Amino acid sequence: MTSQFPAETSASGAFVRQPYTFRGRFSRDGSTPFPAEAGRYRLYVSLACPWAHRAVIVRELLGLQDAISLAVVDPVRDERGWALRPGDGHGPDTVGGFQFLSEAYLRSDPNYQGRYTVPCIWDTQTGQLVTNNYPDITLDFETEFTAFQRPGAPDLYPEALRPEIDALNAVIYEEVNNGVYRAGFAANQARYDEAVTTLFARLDALEQHLATRRYLVGGQLTEADIRLFTTLVRFDAVYVGHFKCNLRRLVDYPNLWGYARDLYQRPAFRETVNFDHIKRHYYLTHPKLDPTGIVPLGPLTDWDAPHQRERLA
């Protein structure tokens, strides 16, 4: 059976993330096989996964809850992959009828050999996966599902800012979002040192960047902020200890910590953060990193403390 644990490494000991092979795109005008329609598609996520969390936040911010249904997997993943179980009010899966997310992958492609990843989107009309390529999912929600967004929904990917957003996203992905995984799953000291040094150099730069700006790009909430937030909200809870990203904590960065609280205190962010799922997933799913399976009680952090970022508006 294909391993479902994200610990692939190169010959040099560096963590390598697998390619995402389902890459269908949605379209407003029907120019792709998957036109943007309400009620047709189902989003499968883990509340523990930072890549999936992006899609959940964007779905909430844009008011797409009625247009795109949601299924949440159990946070504890084993060799069978993500399970859809009763509990936490999220299961069973009444739309796809899946007990394991692998069923959606193998129904779409019986020869599929990769990991069964979240987020992914199932087309209930054709009975196949549209995409598991997480960067495309939020962009398509923002640009192709506009007819189904709530009145007054924010423009998270404004056309004039896209070059700047894309450039920043590329750096944040490589050095922060994926950087914590490159540190956590490094197979030797040199690759770990390299990943951690790069990660904290970027966090230091972002700390300075946010000293005079409330948001990353253009003075408004954008896709870039959402992508950074999902790593920051997990940083002290799991990445500092579990992935050994411990040169500094998020709370040691005044601007980044205030910025993260500023976002968290908005309903679409707060209501989609589940620290129980986050900690149980990481500490119970990676036995090579945490063989005891003990889930830490801490850290005790006050995400509701005043952030005082309004002055930068």
Side-chain angles (χ1 to χ4, degrees):
M1 179 176 291
T2 299
S3 171
Q4 290 302 302
F5 300 98
E8 298 87 352
T9 55
S10 69
S12 70
F15 168 69
V16 179
R17 188 170 295 280
Q18 75 163 30
Y20 294 86
T21 55
F22 292 92
R23 291 177 173 256
R25 298 300 297 267
F26 302 97
S27 58
R28 286 178 291 175
D29 58 7
S31 57
T32 71
F34 304 104
E37 297 177 5
R40 175 171 170 174
Y41 303 107
R42 186 159 178 82
L43 172 65
Y44 288 85
V45 303
S46 164
L47 298 180
C49 170
W51 321 105
H53 192 185
R54 300 174 177 182
V56 181
I57 292 171
V58 170
R59 177 177 173 269
E60 294 286 324
L61 283 169
L62 300 181
L64 293 173
Q65 298 93 325
D66 292 336
I68 301 167
S69 67
L70 180 71
V72 177
V73 300
D74 190 285
V76 181
R77 185 186 62 198
D78 60 22
E79 69 278 358
R80 297 170 295 177
W82 299 106
L84 292 134
R85 300 187 179 102
D88 294 329
H90 300 304
D93 178 25
T94 57
V95 174
F98 306 124
Q99 291 185 306
F100 289 91
L101 193 59
S102 58
E103 297 166 33
Y105 278 78
L106 296 173
R107 194 179 299 179
S108 301
D109 179 4
N111 297 315
Y112 182 77
Q113 293 293 314
R115 290 191 299 111
Y116 315 120
T117 62
V118 287
C120 59
I121 296 182
W122 178 258
D123 181 0
T124 63
Q125 187 175 110
T126 62
Q128 63 179 308
L129 283 175
V130 178
T131 180
N132 69 342
N133 194 45
Y134 59 86
D136 294 339
I137 290 175
T138 50
L139 296 181
D140 282 358
F141 283 0
E142 292 155 3
T143 60
E144 304 304 317
F145 282 84
T146 51
F148 311 106
Q149 296 175 9
R150 65 174 175 82
D155 185 356
L156 299 173
Y157 195 50
E159 192 164 357
L161 297 178
R162 288 178 191 177
E164 188 176 355
I165 292 171
D166 292 344
L168 188 57
N169 282 347
V171 172
I172 289 175
Y173 167 77
E174 185 62 32
E175 299 181 355
V176 180
N177 301 144
N178 201 46
V180 295
Y181 285 85
R182 291 174 57 236
F185 290 110
N188 58 53
Q189 189 72 47
R191 297 289 78 79
Y192 164 79
D193 290 351
E194 177 184 72
V196 168
T197 301
T198 301
L199 165 66
F200 281 93
R202 180 54 54 190
L203 291 177
D204 292 348
L206 289 168
E207 170 74 4
Q208 294 304 310
H209 182 81
L210 290 166
T212 57
R213 302 171 178 85
R214 189 172 185 179
Y215 304 105
L216 289 172
V217 177
Q220 66 180 86
L221 180 69
T222 69
E223 170 82 10
D225 298 296
I226 295 162
R227 294 191 183 197
L228 179 58
F229 173 81
T230 60
T231 296
L232 295 182
V233 78
R234 289 160 174 77
F235 202 84
D236 290 3
V238 290
Y239 299 146
V240 168
H242 190 55
F243 281 178
K244 303 181 182 68
C245 298
N246 58 3
L247 293 186
R248 283 175 289 281
R249 303 164 300 166
L250 174 63
V251 297
D252 296 325
Y253 286 101
N255 298 323
L256 275 170
W257 175 221
Y259 165 83
R261 296 199 313 279
D262 185 6
L263 298 179
Y264 173 84
Q265 291 171 23
R266 306 168 194 214
F269 291 81
R270 177 200 299 273
E271 294 169 9
T272 61
V273 173
N274 189 316
F275 284 113
D276 171 62
H277 278 221
I278 290 168
K279 291 200 292 184
R280 281 198 290 133
H281 167 69
Y282 280 94
Y283 284 99
L284 295 177
T285 297
H286 306 140
K288 289 185 178 180
L289 299 185
D290 185 31
T292 66
I294 294 173
V295 181
L297 294 177
L300 296 176
T301 48
D302 186 2
W303 282 89
D304 290 313
H307 54 75
Q308 301 179 334
R309 299 281 295 174
E310 301 93 338
R311 72 186 190 281
L312 300 175

